[in-house]
Amino acid sequence: MKKIANFTGAIGAWLTSELHPAGATYSSPNSNFSSIKLNGIYGTLDYLSIGWFGVDMSNPTNPTLSTSNAYLAQQVADARAQNPDMIIFALLAYTDQITADLQKIIADSILLSTFANNVASFLGNNGLNGFDIDWESPTNSLTSQQSGAWFNALGAAFGDTYYLAVSASSNQGQQSVDNLNADAVNANVDVFNLQSRWVSDPSVFIAHGINADLLGFGAYFESGVTALQAYQQYAAGIQYQGQSYPYQSMMSWRLDSSNWPFEQSQQLLIRQYMTGQPYVLEFDDGAILNVQTTPTLVQSIVIRSGDVVDAIQCTNVSSDGSYLVQLLQHGGDGGHENNPINFTNGLTAFSYVTGNWYGQQVIAQITINDINYPAAVSPSVSNQQMHQVTAPDGKTIIAFSGQTQYVNLAGGGFTWVLAQINPVFG
């Protein structure tokens, strides 16, 4: 039995079937999808929209859904392995052909009822819980009457079994708002995800008559928006006619673009902001590297540092340069991002300084190749202790494990920093 309360404070994400790096397969140990699984990203989600789906009109009198996503079954299985109760949506694509098919279906009430019931059957047959409509051009050219008939038919077919979501933009002309039938949305839609990259003013949907308690914020990590920036916008809510309306949920776009190491690292942080859980995140790059079929060395390390070490991120490569493994950024986005530290034969030693900073034990400085990050240990760090790490004979340091820590700063504000670091040998 579905309940709209399932989305109150819920955390979701959009996911397609885009593979990285070039030449990877879904199950490649170095792929973006293996990273989602091995880094526990699915476990941070309450709901997930998987793309892309289209309309199958091969039988004109019996239309249904179709998908070109060859990884759908594995994505569903991987997601449910980390969260068995996850709500998973089929995300409808937005093309001229899909729009033309929808217009033909909606024009015939019998065909529309058949299609809606077939969508419900498709969801059940594929282990899915709901249907997510990507409401942007050209789909948003459907009239208010057409969208109303469509949503009402889906609602009738879904009943108390399947969820209906709309993921909307508002910056593609007023039709994006006006062509949504507000009464049908309020009666049938369970969560209304705002695509923040295309929504300059979310209040236009409230003004149009859509219930404010349906609206969820959409974080656009693919563009470089950080988890902190997204959470601050989420927490600010929606302002309309002198009142503030809270967002119901948080939705991340997306986890599998060419910028996936950043997107996935931000997804781990957004869960902490949203839930208020203890602000410590464990990480272990060994979980990724130890399953690689090709041994790798550190190719480069990027460090962010300000008063202390904010974050660290490795990229590994095989000895012949043919096999790349990107690892997630561990830590926050404070401080300054240093130029990548590049290696020819891997890393065999490094040192670091620990200390107490704003009441938390942190990594105050890391030294790699005789260069300090940051350049000097901040005088605000007390109880400083130096640590030296050297790889055993025949081994190199291929990455790191440890902890990142949320720190409240004096005078207000907060940041994520590196709190513990250990070598992963290989």
Side-chain angles (χ1 to χ4, degrees), residues 204-219:
V204 297
F205 293 102
I206 300 177
H208 184 59
I210 292 175
N211 289 341
D213 60 6
L214 289 176
L215 304 184
F217 182 79

Side-chain angles (χ1 to χ4, degrees), residues 38-282:
L38 293 171
N39 281 305
I41 309 298
Y42 286 120
T44 69
L45 302 175
D46 301 305
Y47 67 112
L48 176 67
S49 283
I50 300 177
W52 293 103
F53 291 78
V55 178
D56 182 356
M57 293 288 286
S58 57
N59 183 341
T61 63
N62 196 37
T64 186
L65 289 184
S66 63
T67 183
S68 59
N69 185 347
Y71 317 121
L72 175 64
Q74 191 60 56
Q75 288 172 328
V76 171
D78 289 343
R80 295 210 188 283
Q82 294 186 21
N83 180 2
D85 297 324
M86 187 183 297
I87 297 168
I88 303 181
F89 291 89
L91 177 60
L92 184 70
Y94 50 99
T95 68
D96 290 330
Q97 185 60 58
I98 289 173
T99 303
D101 290 339
L102 289 172
Q103 289 171 334
K104 180 178 181 179
I105 291 169
I106 294 168
D108 183 330
S109 60
I110 295 176
L111 201 60
L112 177 56
S113 179
T114 299
F115 176 61
N117 284 301
N118 285 344
V119 171
S121 296
F122 183 97
L123 297 177
N125 291 337
N126 288 276
L128 303 171
N129 308 103
F131 185 50
D132 187 357
I133 297 167
D134 194 334
W135 184 259
E136 54 184 297
S137 180
T139 309
N140 61 17
S141 64
L142 295 176
T143 67
S144 177
Q145 183 178 8
Q146 288 173 323
S147 70
W150 185 24
F151 296 168
N152 285 333
L154 290 171
F158 289 4
D160 291 331
T161 303
Y162 300 107
Y163 295 90
L164 179 61
V166 171
S167 296
S169 68
S170 67
N171 289 9
Q172 297 176 328
Q174 189 60 31
Q175 71 174 18
S176 292
V177 179
D178 291 346
N179 287 352
L180 279 169
N181 188 299
D183 289 339
V185 168
N186 294 338
N188 301 289
V189 171
D190 299 287
V191 61
F192 194 99
N193 305 302
L194 295 171
Q195 299 187 46
S196 60
R197 69 194 192 280
W198 300 123
V199 177
S200 57
D201 181 8
S203 70
V204 297
F205 293 102
I206 300 177
H208 184 59
I210 292 175
N211 289 341
D213 60 6
L214 289 176
L215 304 184
F217 182 79
Y220 192 27
F221 290 153
E222 186 176 354
S223 70
V225 170
T226 68
L228 175 57
Q229 291 168 336
Y231 178 72
Q232 288 172 332
Q233 293 178 67
Y234 167 87
I238 305 167
Q239 311 307 312
Y240 177 63
Q241 293 187 342
Q243 294 188 54
S244 181
Y245 296 86
Y247 285 106
Q248 179 187 194
S249 57
M250 167 71 79
M251 187 74 157
S252 305
W253 178 268
R254 55 193 170 117
L255 303 178
D256 63 334
S257 82
S258 59
N259 198 25
W260 62 267
F262 174 80
E263 295 158 6
Q264 293 180 25
S265 68
Q266 297 309 297
Q267 185 63 42
L268 289 170
L269 294 182
I270 201 69
R271 181 80 190 182
Q272 305 299 311
Y273 292 132
M274 290 284 291
T275 61
Q277 293 174 354
Y279 291 128
V280 175
L281 275 176
E282 306 277 348

